[in-house]
Amino acid sequence: MAYIVDVYHRKVEPAKSLVGYALFISLFPHLIAGPIQRPSHLLPQVQKERTWDPAKAFDGLILILEGLFRKVVIADNCALIANAVFAGNFGGPNTMTVLLGTYAFAWQIYGDFSGYSRIARGSAQLLGFHFMVNFRQPYFAESLQDFWRRWHISLSTWLRDYLYIPLGGNRLGRVRTYVNLMLTMLLGGLWHGANWTFVVWGGIHGVGLATERLFVGKREITPSSSFLGRWARRIFIFNVVCLAWIFFRITSFSGAWEQIVGLMNWQWNPAYWTALVFLACYAMALFVVDLQLEASHGEHVFASYPYGLRILTGIAFCALITLFGANQESAFIYFRF
Amino acid sequence: MPSSISASEHRKATRAIAILLASLLVYVCALEIVTRMAFPRINHIWRTLQSDHLTAVSLHPLKAGKSATMLMVGNSYLEVGVNRENLQREIAPTFSIAYLPMSGTSYFDWYFGLRKLFAEDSRPAIVGVCLSTRDLISDSTYGESFAHALMLRRDLLRVKKEAHLDNTMTSDYFFDSLSSWMGHRDETHNWLLRKAAPGINNLVSYLKPKNQPLPPSDVIVAKALPRLRQLNELAQNYGARFFLLIPPTMDVRDASKEIQEAAAKEGILVLLPFQHAELPESVFLDGAHLNPQGAALFTEKLGPTLLQSLYQN
């Protein structure tokens, strides 16, 4: 669709050959679950002669190992807690189970999809293609606007360019801007599946984005200058995103609502503490990786460091995958969408 | 995108790829060697399993010329539900019993597991499989541990077909059967977690998926009976007498009595020392397995049941 629209608007030259076009459409690293590749980014690469670039291939290998670490170690272990909580194994919804399940799912879906995206990018890089970065430490976002610049970037920019802007974006006055934001996010929710819970998930983000727009207008939300302010905002946005994840994870609206109501019901069981420590260990591992990426602004860990350190990083990922990979095998969440 | 890099950068990157791949290869080889050599030493479960396996494959129909040998295989119901020494005392000198329990296993694990044991020259006079009704009708297999310890590599395609494995799982099983590391990775992972966080055991029971309700009795019997026939036929092919031992569980209406009656009509022995819900809840450890008191009660009743059912036939 993007190809047809871009060619129509003369933003991209039509493919020079059927084989080139077919390769652009069916290139396996992005075929199943993205990251969505724009014709303007990928088509020229497909049509150009590729040469073996060992530096890019090395980066590709590290990306694949980091992706596997995110999926097998982080996502699949967090899934153990999330699945058990939402299956009711820890009892009915109460403050602790809802927090545990939601935080576990938040790290599961992030590890899962950012892991998949990295494996896809790494595989493409081994073949000489460059894919756009799809995740930039989304849980470090200081606003929802910022979150959507960091989460599933290939989808959010696609929605912006092919839905929000054609609807009029912010050019048609305040009210239309809010309506366009809501419509874009609601359709973004529906993109994940024909279920009202996805619409509510999109709606929460839409309302959040519109509210931010109400306060700051067309201005960019600037990062907080103070350390405390920055982390307070990050924690707040993380929790708003987590609240929305409940509607993404639970398949019925009533089930999701039960979880939200359960937040008010305080109960304690020693197993909650063990589960919390288990979850914190895995979330912390990914948090540390993200901290390094955020500080370095790199596309992958220790990107600007000497090869020796990056080799050690690759071996460390491999060791964590083999020793701490979850026992249960599970497919990538985004294969469903 | 910049495409040209200097020749020295090119060489550095090529060398880094070579070092990374070589290091990963060395790491994987080291992991395999360490698992083969060290894992049975540090993990008592696998040490016991190895020793039980060695005993099982060395069985001949008669022990010391008089006791008929009996091999009892099964899952955790056998592992924690039967007191080995007491049962041997109860049935000696008529029978000499050897055990091979493996937690988490079910029907397919032991159908293919017995095929492997027989292929390895295990020749007991009697083979008992201790499985609950739920495990008997289960379509699952016990993952890499099954593939490594209980599956003949030549049975892989049959396992794939009968247990409905997808291609990824089938290839996993192939490598699990070859590699000690792959075959033990679940156990290693659990062992590491237990060492790193001793409290993790409290969590395990919460993380297990809940049991689905059992289907109606007629569905259970219709699924169980052909499986019992297969086990019986397999044992007979190797000159062994077969029986199924159904342990006491807290499953509501597990159709064990109906299975026993249907199997009896075909001459297949199903032992049911305790009827459904005959034992009080207080003798169960975790809502499923027997506690030491329950194990003593079960063993006490199992001895005479075995003697009566097997000796008289």
Side-chain angles (χ1 to χ4, degrees):
Chain A
M1 196 162 112
Y3 174 78
I4 294 166
V5 173
D6 283 1
V7 168
Y8 180 77
H9 287 296
R10 298 182 192 282
K11 285 181 187 164
V12 69
E13 284 285 308
K16 292 187 182 96
S17 74
L18 184 65
V19 174
Y21 176 73
L23 178 57
F24 159 66
I25 292 295
S26 62
L27 190 63
F28 86 89
H30 82 116
L31 188 62
I32 303 171
I36 302 162
Q37 293 305 303
R38 298 293 186 84
S40 55
H41 184 70
L42 188 57
L43 202 52
Q45 295 184 57
V46 165
Q47 295 180 141
K48 197 177 69 181
E49 196 179 320
R50 284 171 299 282
T51 51
W52 166 249
D53 185 337
K56 285 181 187 159
F58 179 82
D59 291 345
L61 284 174
I62 296 291
L63 271 172
I64 290 173
L65 287 169
E66 189 195 332
L68 281 169
F69 159 76
R70 284 170 180 260
K71 164 66 181 158
V72 178
V73 181
I74 309 300
D76 288 354
N77 278 303
C78 291
L80 290 173
I81 301 284
N83 293 343
V85 168
F86 292 122
N89 294 9
F90 284 87
N94 62 55
T95 314
M96 280 307 295
T97 58
V98 176
L99 289 178
L100 259 175
T102 311
Y103 289 151
F105 181 68
W107 289 98
Q108 179 201 349
I109 194 167
Y110 174 45
D112 189 285
F113 198 26
S114 66
Y116 174 80
S117 295
R118 274 167 169 80
I119 295 169
R121 282 174 56 215
S123 311
Q125 214 143 303
L126 284 177
L127 299 173
F129 297 100
H130 179 269
F131 278 10
M132 68 186 291
V133 176
N134 209 23
F135 287 87
R136 282 189 200 278
Q137 305 76 255
Y139 293 154
F140 285 9
E142 292 183 42
S143 62
L144 282 178
Q145 190 186 75
D146 189 18
F147 176 79
W148 281 104
R149 284 181 185 151
R150 293 163 174 264
W151 179 273
H152 201 350
I153 300 166
S154 63
L155 175 69
S156 57
T157 50
W158 194 96
L159 288 171
R160 181 196 65 200
D161 295 346
Y162 296 97
L163 197 59
Y164 177 69
I165 291 176
L167 281 170
N170 60 9
R171 301 183 308 272
L172 304 172
R174 258 189 153 184
V175 177
R176 268 304 292 273
T177 303
Y178 300 144
V179 171
N180 291 343
L181 273 172
M182 277 306 290
L183 273 177
T184 306
M185 293 317 295
L186 291 174
L187 286 168
L190 263 181
W191 177 85
H192 290 89
N195 196 335
W196 284 111
T197 50
F198 290 127
V199 178
V200 175
W201 172 77
I204 292 174
H205 280 279
V207 168
L209 286 168
T211 311
E212 284 179 358
R213 179 64 67 139
L214 182 71
F215 284 107
V216 296
K218 284 185 183 178
R219 282 181 293 119
E220 288 284 313
I221 298 173
T222 48
S224 172
S225 52
S226 79
F227 178 83
L228 276 179
R230 198 159 54 241
W231 280 100
R233 279 194 195 179
R234 284 173 177 174
I235 291 167
F236 175 72
I237 292 298
F238 173 70
N239 281 286
V240 172
V241 169
C242 282
L243 177 79
W245 282 139
I246 294 177
F247 290 90
F248 197 92
R249 172 62 175 75
I250 307 282
T251 47
S252 72
F253 184 78
S254 58
W257 186 247
E258 261 179 45
Q259 298 288 325
I260 304 226
V261 173
L263 270 171
M264 310 298 151
N265 170 24
W266 171 259
Q267 280 178 32
W268 180 253
N269 173 341
Y272 297 159
W273 177 248
T274 319
L276 202 62
V277 172
F278 180 87
L279 177 62
C281 289
Y282 287 105
M284 195 53 75
L286 186 48
F287 180 80
V288 168
V289 170
D290 272 9
L291 212 54
Q292 197 284 322
L293 285 167
E294 183 71 6
S296 65
H297 305 288
E299 283 198 13
H300 40 264
V301 274
F302 299 127
S304 56
Y305 283 74
Y307 279 117
L309 182 66
R310 293 162 69 195
I311 290 170
L312 285 177
T313 310
I315 296 168
F317 280 138
C318 184
L320 289 168
I321 292 161
T322 49
L323 298 176
F324 291 99
N327 292 355
Q328 68 176 29
E329 283 146 37
S330 53
F332 289 102
I333 293 176
Y334 264 70
F335 277 14
R336 282 181 240 151
F337 306 132
Chain B
M1 272 184 307
S3 58
S4 63
I5 54 168
S6 71
S8 75
E9 274 299 308
H10 201 286
R11 270 198 305 276
K12 269 190 200 171
T14 308
R15 203 164 49 225
I17 290 176
I19 294 171
L20 177 64
L21 293 179
S23 308
L24 295 183
L25 185 67
V26 169
Y27 172 75
V28 170
C29 292
L31 211 55
E32 180 66 23
I33 292 166
V34 168
T35 316
R36 266 174 207 260
M37 307 201 23
F39 197 60
R41 288 187 198 172
I42 54 177
N43 186 311
H44 75 95
I45 297 172
W46 278 94
R47 203 166 45 237
T48 312
L49 193 73
Q50 268 192 341
S51 136
D52 285 346
H53 182 254
L54 282 175
T55 312
V57 295
S58 67
L59 289 177
H60 296 286
L62 289 176
K63 189 177 180 186
K66 49 182 182 176
S67 296
T69 53
M70 184 191 297
L71 172 63
M72 188 93 98
V73 299
N75 52 25
S76 50
Y77 289 116
L78 174 66
E79 202 169 6
V80 300
V82 174
N83 185 312
R84 292 184 180 204
E85 287 78 27
N86 289 359
L87 184 61
Q88 181 57 67
R89 216 175 298 130
E90 294 256 1
I91 59 175
T94 315
F95 299 115
S96 167
I97 191 164
Y99 299 88
L100 184 53
M102 198 168 168
S103 288
T105 47
S106 46
Y107 166 73
F108 281 124
D109 300 305
W110 287 113
Y111 175 68
F112 289 104
L114 286 175
R115 280 174 61 86
K116 188 177 186 210
L117 288 170
F118 287 132
E120 288 172 337
D121 275 345
S122 174
R123 291 290 180 272
I126 301 160
V127 171
V129 177
C130 175
L131 292 176
S132 68
T133 301
R134 185 180 288 280
D135 299 323
L136 182 63
I137 62 166
S138 162
D139 286 331
S140 66
T141 50
Y142 189 45
E144 53 249 44
S145 301
F146 155 72
H148 187 69
L150 298 176
M151 186 189 77
L152 283 171
R153 211 166 297 141
R154 63 170 182 260
D155 277 345
L156 180 64
L157 291 180
R158 264 192 80 182
V159 173
K160 172 181 165 44
K161 191 180 162 206
E162 299 206 21
H164 310 296
L165 303 183
D166 59 25
N167 291 337
T168 308
M169 203 65 180
T170 309
S171 61
D172 265 5
Y173 275 22
F174 175 73
F175 291 111
D176 295 337
S177 71
L178 283 175
S179 151
S180 189
W181 157 249
M182 294 281 287
H184 290 140
R185 67 183 193 277
D186 256 13
E187 276 297 321
T188 316
H189 176 239
N190 293 344
W191 180 81
L192 275 170
L193 276 183
R194 280 196 296 269
K195 289 280 166 198
I200 205 83
N201 278 340
N202 305 334
L203 199 59
V204 174
S205 59
Y206 291 93
L207 300 186
K208 281 183 192 163
K210 276 183 181 168
N211 278 341
Q212 296 297 311
L214 280 166
S217 298
D218 54 336
V219 177
I220 295 178
V221 174
K223 194 162 184 183
L225 212 51
R227 292 183 170 193
L228 287 176
R229 274 186 218 122
Q230 272 196 308
L231 286 170
N232 191 43
E233 199 180 302
L234 176 66
Q236 279 178 349
N237 287 345
Y238 289 90
R241 172 90 201 271
F242 164 77
F243 72 88
L244 173 78
L245 171 65
I246 302 183
T249 65
M250 287 177 68
D251 255 330
V252 180
R253 294 190 47 76
D254 65 355
S256 46
K257 189 73 188 154
E258 288 89 332
I259 290 177
Q260 189 183 38
E261 286 165 5
K265 286 180 192 158
E266 302 205 13
I268 301 170
L269 183 60
V270 174
L271 301 182
L272 192 58
F274 285 103
Q275 299 293 324
H276 156 69
E278 198 178 332
L279 284 175
E281 210 171 302
S282 60
V283 301
F284 288 92
L285 188 68
D286 51 6
H289 299 95
L290 293 170
N291 62 21
Q293 190 198 346
L297 284 171
F298 182 54
T299 308
E300 203 176 293
K301 190 143 186 202
L302 180 59
T305 310
L306 281 173
L307 284 173
Q308 194 186 348
S309 311
L310 294 168
Y311 192 58
Q312 285 175 356
N313 291 304

